[in-house]
């Protein structure tokens, strides 16, 4: 990697983690399409995995008093089950049609979230299991783990509760993906170099996001969560369309 590319990566990842600092997720929605201009998905997804583990651990520790094992452990289990077929599919490429459908589904779910107050949804074991499994598939395939967020948004009220539990699931699936990636030989020198560049950039972005977060109310923070969720669907759909053209 030359100096201009390293600077480009640093700026993109810093901006992406400002979003994570604000809402607790969403960083891959920005850095994946931006980095894919110069890097293959087989480098981006494994390369950002160690960085995500470090940053998610920080968020979980910060919000540890709001952690609910009963809520998130079943989600994490089904996410891990879904990661297995998703990772196997990654070795054979990322089908753009499937990614386009995923983006449209995310947009529709985000629109539904706008019509409800946070924490007003009724818990459903079936919905939780299906959403978590599909979320694991998309995490292994695209590095985009969003679908289970729609369920957590339905059953949590405070932003600290949402972030702490979301990032705990991210840690569990991240550790699981790390083992699978090592086993399947997905890590490379290029992905490890990306990790080294991304770590300080992500810490900077998270710091900026945390400063901004202190200035917003719970209501506005909830709106940010939904907007970033919908943005994820738009980003995924547009990127898939570009690959199809």
């Amino acid at each position: 990697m030359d100096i201009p590319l390293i600077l480009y990566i640093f700026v993109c990842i810093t901006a992406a983690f400002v979003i994570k600092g604000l809402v607790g997720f969403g960083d891959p929605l920005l850095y994946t399409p931006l980095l894919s201009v110069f890097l293959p998905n087989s480098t981006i997804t494994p390369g950002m995995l160690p960085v995500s583990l470090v940053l998610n651990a920080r968020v979980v520790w910060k919000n540890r008093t709001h952690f609910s094992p009963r809520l998130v452990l079943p989600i994490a289990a089904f996410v891990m089950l879904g990661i297995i077929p998703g990772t196997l599919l990654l070795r054979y490429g990322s089908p753009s049609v499937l990614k386009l459908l995923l983006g449209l589904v995310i947009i529709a779910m985000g629109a539904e979230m706008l019509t409800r107050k946070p924490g007003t949804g009724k818990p459903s074991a079936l919905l939780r299991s299906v959403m978590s499994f599909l979320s694991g598939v998309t995490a292994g395939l695209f590095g985009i783990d969003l679908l289970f967020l729609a369920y957590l948004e339905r059953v949590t009220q405070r932003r600290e509760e949402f972030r702490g539990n979301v990032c705990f699931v991210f840690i569990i699936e991240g550790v699981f993906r790390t083992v699978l990636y090592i086993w399947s030989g997905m890590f490379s020198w290029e992905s490890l170099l990306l990790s080294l560049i991304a770590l300080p950039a992500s810490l900077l972005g998270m710091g900026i996001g945390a400063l901004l977060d202190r200035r917003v109310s719970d209501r506005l923070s909830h709106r940010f969560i939904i907007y970033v969720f919908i943005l994820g669907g738009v980003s995924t759909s547009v990127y898939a369309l570009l690959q199809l053209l």
Side-chain angles (χ1 to χ4, degrees), residues 47-213:
M48 292 305 300
L49 184 52
V51 178
S52 296
L53 284 172
V54 172
L55 272 296
N56 286 321
R58 287 189 63 189
V59 175
V60 170
W61 179 254
K62 182 178 179 181
N63 299 282
R64 61 191 180 277
T65 57
H66 300 276
F67 174 68
S68 173
R70 183 178 179 181
L71 175 63
V72 297
L73 290 179
I75 294 175
F78 278 96
V79 167
M80 288 188 289
L81 287 176
I83 287 173
I84 298 173
T87 302
L88 294 176
L89 288 172
L90 178 62
R91 300 188 68 180
Y92 301 100
S94 299
S96 299
V97 174
L98 180 59
K99 198 169 190 178
L100 175 60
L101 292 175
L102 170 64
L104 296 176
V105 168
I106 291 172
I107 293 171
M109 293 173 64
E112 186 273 336
M113 290 159 66
L114 285 172
T115 66
R116 288 185 293 99
K117 292 182 179 179
T120 57
K122 295 182 179 179
S124 166
L126 178 61
L127 177 63
R128 179 192 64 201
S129 302
V130 171
M131 298 299 289
S132 300
F133 179 81
L134 293 177
S135 195
V137 172
T138 60
L141 183 55
F142 304 120
I144 298 174
D145 193 355
L146 278 181
L147 297 180
F148 82 91
L149 298 176
Y151 176 80
L152 274 178
E153 185 274 339
R154 294 175 66 91
V155 298
T156 57
Q157 294 182 343
R158 295 178 58 83
R159 57 179 142 179
E160 295 87 357
E161 183 183 7
F162 176 82
R163 293 174 188 175
N165 289 295
V166 161
C167 289
F168 178 81
V169 176
F170 287 157
I171 290 174
I172 296 298
E173 64 95 358
V175 171
F176 192 65
R177 274 203 290 149
T178 299
V179 174
L180 286 178
Y181 286 6
I182 293 174
W183 174 75
S184 58
M186 294 298 299
F187 287 107
S188 63
W189 286 111
E190 290 79 10
S191 65
L192 294 177
L193 178 57
L194 175 61
S195 300
L196 291 175
I197 298 169
L199 183 57
S202 62
L203 290 170
L204 175 61
M206 283 285 287
I208 297 171
L211 290 175
L212 295 174
D213 180 58

